[in-house]
């Protein structure tokens, strides 16, 4: 399936996504009414695995949102299953070394870029949809181009190797995880700390140089535009559960203030 998020990134369209944690297809249908560009089915912090992720990917496709998935770990099945059920990209947490990212390229990309294992799966209609209708070589190249491998920069180890990691063939972009990166740097939650800002600058510069995109996570709606101004290509805004709680809280505060006896 064509990756609309990739097209938006190439067009500089400033896509905005969110993390999906609530584990219900109805939530995805509701998100489909919001104008969000992508969601990340969170197999790291969310309670679900590849089997339910397939249902969420289906719901996202029907709702016009590009489905990405965050892996539970760095392992072949963790990457392969999410791509085979049709996630259009994998976000991979807790990366520390260049070798880990080389392994991820092997898991996520077909040869000659990597060593992804092949089987007709949901991603290509179990062999009955384009690109499975073409030569296997065309299918492999298409999948390599349309599925995004997005390691997270959220450890000092990854940060120290970011130029090499961003430069690897098969890495499409980098997702900066501010919570874990700041924790790893010994300045937890200090997102305005000069060292933290220097780290963001370093990742952005490394990605630009390598021709890869960068996305950043924030739970604050007013930081999204700031992130784009800083030069991030996509922004990941909050998570479904947080936005729901926040919206109800704000509405109820207003309601109670206006309805005070
Ligand atoms: C982080 O901030 O560490 C993330 O991974 C975003 O969810
Ligand atoms: Mg993290």
């Amino acid at each position: 399936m064509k990756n609309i998020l990739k097209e938006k990134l190439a067009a500089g369209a400033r896509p905005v996504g969110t993390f999906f944690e609530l584990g219900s297809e109805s939530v995805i249908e509701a998100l489909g009414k919001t104008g969000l560009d992508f969601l990340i089915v969170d197999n790291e912090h969310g309670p679900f695995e590849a089997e339910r992720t397939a249902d969420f990917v289906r719901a996202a496709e029907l709702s016009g949102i590009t489905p990405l998935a965050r892996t539970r770990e760095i392992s072949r099945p963790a990457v392969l299953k999410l791509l085979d059920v049709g996630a259009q990209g994998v976000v991979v947490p807790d990366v520390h070394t260049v070798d880990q990212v080389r392994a991820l390229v092997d898991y996520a990309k077909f040869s000659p870029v990597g060593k992804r294992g092949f089987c007709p799966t949901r991603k290509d209609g179990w062999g009955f949809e384009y690109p499975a209708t073409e030569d296997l070589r065309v299918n492999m190249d298409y999948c390599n181009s349309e599925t995004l491998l997005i390691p997270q920069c959220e450890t000092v180890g990854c940060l120290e190797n970011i130029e090499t990691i961003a430069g690897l063939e098969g890495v499409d972009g980098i997702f900066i995880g501010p919570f874990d990166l700041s924790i790893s740097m010994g300045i937890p939650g200090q997102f305005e700390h000069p060292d933290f800002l220097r780290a963001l600058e370093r990742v952005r510069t490394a990605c630009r140089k390598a021709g890869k995109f960068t996305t950043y996570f924030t739970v604050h709606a007013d930081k999204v535009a700031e992130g784009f101004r800083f030069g991030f290509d996509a922004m990941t805004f909050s998570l479904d559960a947080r936005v729901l709680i926040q919206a109800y809280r704000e509405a109820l505060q207003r309601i109670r203030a206006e309805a005070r006896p």
Side-chain angles (χ1 to χ4, degrees):
M1 187 179 275
K2 195 114 203 97
N3 192 328
I4 307 293
L5 173 61
K6 193 182 160 192
E7 283 180 3
K8 288 176 181 170
L9 285 163
R14 298 188 159 182
V16 178
T18 197
F19 274 108
F20 171 74
E21 310 286 339
L22 285 175
S24 151
E25 292 84 342
S26 298
V27 169
I28 295 179
E29 281 187 324
L31 293 177
K33 318 283 180 211
T34 65
L36 274 173
D37 297 292
F38 64 96
L39 56 80
I40 305 171
V41 181
D42 191 1
N43 283 246
E44 184 196 19
H45 292 291
F48 30 75
E49 303 286 344
E51 196 171 336
R52 285 292 283 142
T53 300
D55 299 328
F56 304 144
V57 166
R58 253 179 225 117
E61 287 170 0
L62 290 170
S63 304
I65 306 181
T66 301
L68 306 180
R70 180 152 67 177
T71 66
R72 56 176 291 159
E73 63 193 8
I74 299 173
S75 73
R76 184 175 183 272
V79 172
L80 199 57
K81 280 170 181 275
L82 297 182
L83 292 179
D84 280 346
V85 301
Q88 296 207 281
V90 280
V91 175
V92 186
D94 201 34
V95 168
H96 295 259
T97 68
V98 177
D99 280 350
Q100 282 179 313
V101 183
R102 287 208 176 95
L104 285 169
V105 172
D106 282 349
Y107 305 151
K109 301 284 178 173
F110 290 114
S111 80
V113 182
K115 297 177 186 151
R116 178 174 169 185
F118 184 84
C119 181
T121 57
R122 188 181 175 278
K123 69 162 185 331
D124 57 9
W126 291 275
F128 288 93
E129 266 171 25
Y130 186 88
T133 45
E134 306 296 312
D135 185 78
L136 182 55
R137 177 74 268 154
V138 173
N139 190 343
M140 290 158 67
D141 290 346
Y142 187 83
C143 288
N144 278 357
S145 131
E146 295 306 305
T147 53
L148 303 173
L149 172 59
I150 312 164
Q152 281 196 249
C153 183
E154 57 175 2
T155 67
V156 167
C158 185
L159 180 64
E160 279 171 358
N161 290 295
I162 194 64
E163 291 77 14
T164 311
I165 287 171
L168 288 178
E169 185 186 6
V171 169
D172 296 288
I174 297 289
F175 185 117
I176 303 173
F179 284 101
D180 285 315
L181 181 58
S182 64
I183 293 168
S184 179
M185 291 174 71
I187 45 172
Q190 296 183 48
F191 305 135
E192 306 297 330
H193 191 290
D195 292 348
F196 189 77
L197 295 176
R198 262 193 294 278
L200 297 188
E201 183 94 42
R202 180 170 173 182
V203 180
R204 187 198 57 178
T205 304
C207 286
R208 282 249 171 103
K209 219 165 164 184
K212 310 294 172 70
F213 68 85
T214 325
T215 179
Y216 185 67
F217 175 72
T218 178
V219 295
H220 303 292
D222 56 355
K223 293 279 176 195
V224 173
E226 201 177 292
F228 283 124
R229 278 196 296 275
F230 184 77
F232 296 128
D233 305 286
M235 289 295 289
T236 304
F237 167 58
S238 203
L239 21 128
D240 48 11
R242 264 189 79 94
V243 176
L244 185 71
I245 295 166
Q246 240 162 1
Y248 270 110
R249 278 192 172 194
E250 280 165 25
L252 281 165
Q253 267 165 14
R254 263 203 324 274
I255 290 165
R256 295 223 158 98
E258 286 166 15
R260 203 165 280 139

